[in-house]
Amino acid sequence: NYKRLIDNRLKIIDNSNMAKIINILEESILKGLVSVGEDVVSFNGRPFEDVLDYIYADSLVQLNIEVKNVDGEIREVEAYKYSDFYTLGLEFDDSIDINAKECHNNCIFCFVRQLPKNLRKTLYVRDDDYRLSFISGSYITCTNLEEKDIERIIYYKLSPLYVSVHATDPEVRKFMLGAKNVDNQLDIIKRLTEQGIMIHAQIVLVAGVNDSDILKKSLVDLYDANVATVAIVPVGLTSFRKGLYDISPLKEKEAAEVINIVEEFYESHEFFPYCSDEMYQIAKKEVPDYDYYGGFEQIENGVGLIAKFKYEFDEAIGYAPKHCKRKVGVFTGISGLSTMQWVADIIEKKYPKAKFNIYPVKNSFFGENVTVTGLVTATDIIKTYGDTHFDEDYLIIPSVMLKEFETVFLDNKSVDDLSKALKKKIIVSQATGEGLCSAIIDGESI
């Protein structure tokens, strides 16, 4: 989940209490009832806070809207949608957009605090916002949830939400969050799940802090609180941990002990607790099969990625053309090496005349303890490939190395910059088995 922590941040409307209308769409049921330049004050008596209010209101058949005109007069407008083809059709001024709520904790393992200087400003944003959790699946700690936020989550049924727990033992959690006081997160989780809100939790595992009996207690407590799933992921450490709490990378034996605890709990609580793929890689164990992961609800947290990737690749290669002579190279983080070797064996067996070169990239940018593919930079790719230019038709990078919806690496270099540096065509592949198969066979970027 490190990539998610430092990736591009959404902007949403927050506590403005009014939203200025800048456009009314042709299909709007409010044409003639409201005007451009007026402010929306409330929907059905609920003061306007952010875009979620508008989305919810747009789903209703009947509603009352309070609007304020340019003279400051407030009036009520009644609206009725005769079918699902109708919409409120309002567009609002961008000036009401602000950054998400930031995290006020001081977690001993915070990844953002371990970043090098001079990266994009957005990479240093530490969000802790329930709205982003609902919209984009980012994890929240619940420490900045106010009563009105909890009531709003329940009223709008904002589900699922993703919650960082780390430990249900109050004192251990307090220590890990760097908090002054014990919080009531477990009570909040129970209150939400009792109201039908699905919660997916995560535990960042720090050896000697929240493992062993503390981990066992957390699993029991979260299951009893009707949490849907919980992912246990190893702490991520960069080489920029100056002045921070002394944490050691998880060792092979420690990771294996965590896996044993989780898998034992899984036997009687199927599809609930999962270790991330990285945990298995540290322990030098094979990840479970595809069927182990249920609906892959925690895949964005690195849980089940390898199993899903192999399943998809196996299926895609079965439908691939009978002949392929392409010579390609693929870049991966160190943790992805064994999976890419598995791919190479399949490719070279099916296509004897094809060539599949693998380039595992050591992460000098963040430090060699960081091995995940999503944090590989163009700078380290260039170092890995060196000055030797092989005869590949093109080189492949997975999309997880890039900023979402863009072609920029974490070090601000673009795919074009990489292509020029390596003097090779670069193909961007979806980070799926089907995506890589297509990139190898078809030679086209997503």
Side-chain angles (χ1 to χ4, degrees):
N1 198 40
Y2 318 142
K3 181 70 160 59
R4 178 180 296 281
L5 286 173
I6 64 176
D7 215 344
N8 187 37
R9 304 300 175 186
L10 297 176
K11 284 189 174 184
I12 60 178
I13 305 162
D14 180 32
N15 295 328
S16 60
N17 294 323
M18 290 186 294
K20 188 172 293 297
I21 301 169
I22 62 170
N23 188 35
I24 303 172
L25 301 180
E26 191 62 37
E27 62 270 25
S28 171
I29 62 172
L30 296 175
K31 285 185 73 68
L33 299 177
V34 299
S35 303
V36 170
E38 292 188 311
D39 293 299
V40 172
V41 178
S42 70
F43 292 110
N44 282 354
R46 295 186 65 87
F48 188 96
E49 285 190 45
D50 57 50
V51 69
L52 296 179
D53 294 299
Y54 175 75
I55 293 172
Y56 182 81
D58 199 31
S59 71
L60 300 176
V61 174
Q62 187 174 0
L63 70 157
N64 297 321
I65 307 172
E66 279 188 321
V67 294
K68 185 171 78 169
N69 64 23
V70 293
D71 296 323
E73 297 173 343
I74 296 177
R75 72 181 191 283
E76 189 173 286
V77 174
E78 292 186 4
Y80 185 84
K81 291 166 66 177
Y82 294 94
S83 76
D84 291 337
F85 294 103
Y86 291 89
T87 175
L88 296 180
L90 301 180
E91 293 181 351
F92 301 109
D93 192 332
D94 286 343
S95 65
I96 59 177
D97 296 355
I98 66 170
N99 287 319
K101 293 180 181 179
E102 291 195 34
C103 179
H104 299 298
N105 301 314
N106 189 27
C107 296
I108 61 173
F109 51 81
C110 178
F111 195 76
V112 178
R113 290 175 186 246
Q114 303 177 60
L115 295 179
K117 296 180 179 180
N118 301 318
L119 299 179
R120 296 191 305 267
K121 289 183 179 180
T122 53
L123 300 182
Y124 302 101
V125 175
R126 300 187 306 132
D127 64 81
D128 192 5
D129 196 309
Y130 72 91
R131 295 161 297 186
L132 290 189
S133 185
F134 172 68
I135 293 169
S136 61
S138 57
Y139 282 83
I140 59 173
T141 63
C142 300
T143 55
N144 65 0
L145 281 182
E146 300 177 23
E147 177 61 26
K148 67 180 183 65
D149 299 324
I150 298 172
E151 291 178 356
R152 191 165 185 249
I153 290 169
I154 294 170
Y155 182 84
Y156 283 151
K157 297 296 181 186
L158 301 183
S159 178
L161 293 179
Y162 297 81
V163 178
S164 288
V165 175
H166 310 315
T168 58
D169 181 284
E171 291 299 326
V172 174
R173 175 173 160 80
K174 173 186 169 184
F175 169 72
M176 295 189 73
L177 293 183
K180 294 181 179 179
N181 301 304
V182 171
D183 70 351
N184 62 337
Q185 186 198 57
L186 194 58
D187 291 336
I188 293 174
I189 289 175
K190 289 177 180 178
R191 182 177 170 188
L192 293 176
T193 58
E194 286 171 358
Q195 294 297 320
I197 307 301
M198 181 178 289
I199 301 290
H200 296 291
Q202 76 165 353
I203 293 173
V204 174
L205 204 292
V206 180
V209 178
N210 61 338
D211 53 359
S212 191
D213 289 342
I214 299 297
L215 175 58
K216 293 176 183 178
K217 170 179 167 54
S218 296
L219 293 177
V220 171
D221 289 344
L222 291 175
Y223 187 81
D224 289 345
N226 290 317
V227 167
T229 66
V230 57
I232 296 85
V233 304
V235 64
L237 306 173
T238 77
S239 58
F240 298 90
R241 287 190 56 81
K242 295 179 181 179
L244 301 177
Y245 182 80
D246 187 21
I247 298 176
S248 299
L250 211 59
K251 298 180 178 62
E252 179 181 341
K253 182 180 178 181
E254 294 166 338
E257 289 173 351
V258 170
I259 290 171
N260 289 339
I261 290 172
V262 174
E263 289 190 342
E264 182 179 347
F265 199 81
Y266 183 98
E267 289 178 5
S268 54
H269 304 80
E270 193 176 33
F271 305 134
F272 170 67
Y274 300 101
C275 284
S276 68
D277 293 1
E278 190 180 3
M279 189 74 75
Y280 284 93
Q281 290 166 335
I282 294 171
K284 297 181 180 178
K285 288 176 172 284
E286 289 293 323
V287 299
D289 294 333
Y290 180 88
D291 293 338
Y292 179 89
Y293 293 99
F296 290 88
E297 292 93 347
Q298 291 268 13
I299 195 161
E300 292 289 342
N301 217 353
V303 174
L305 276 170
I306 294 174
K308 192 170 186 290
F309 178 93
K310 288 184 174 181
Y311 179 88
E312 291 169 344
F313 191 88
D314 258 341
E315 193 171 60
I317 201 71
Y319 292 101
K322 293 182 179 180
H323 303 287
C324 177
K325 298 180 181 180
R326 293 192 185 276
K327 296 178 181 179
V328 305
V330 64
F331 293 101
T332 179
I334 298 298
S335 62
L337 177 58
S338 61
T339 303
M340 289 303 102
Q341 288 174 333
W342 176 86
V343 169
D345 292 341
I346 293 176
I347 290 292
E348 293 178 6
K349 182 177 180 180
K350 178 162 184 170
Y351 303 119
K353 295 183 179 180
K355 184 64 178 176
F356 186 75
N357 294 326
I358 306 169
Y359 299 104
V361 182
K362 286 186 178 180
N363 203 320
S364 302
F365 194 85
F366 291 107
E368 293 188 11
N369 285 328
V370 177
T371 63
V372 293
T373 301
L375 293 181
V376 167
T377 63
T379 301
D380 285 334
I381 289 177
I382 294 168
K383 288 180 183 178
T384 298
Y385 201 67
D387 297 326
T388 305
H389 296 149
F390 299 98
D391 61 345
E392 292 115 338
D393 299 320
Y394 49 82
L395 300 169
I396 300 172
I397 62 167
S399 58
V400 292
M401 293 182 181
L402 306 174
K403 184 177 179 181
E404 192 173 15
F405 308 124
E406 297 186 26
T407 59
V408 180
F409 290 85
L410 288 169
D411 57 358
N412 274 330
K413 294 185 184 295
S414 69
V415 172
D416 284 343
D417 294 335
L418 180 63
S419 180
K420 290 174 183 176
L422 301 185
K423 299 179 181 179
K424 288 285 184 179
K425 178 182 178 181
I426 304 295
I427 297 295
V428 180
S429 162
Q430 287 183 338
T432 63
E434 182 181 10
L436 181 59
C437 185
S438 176
I440 295 168
I441 305 301
D442 300 329
E444 296 180 358
S445 287
I446 56 173

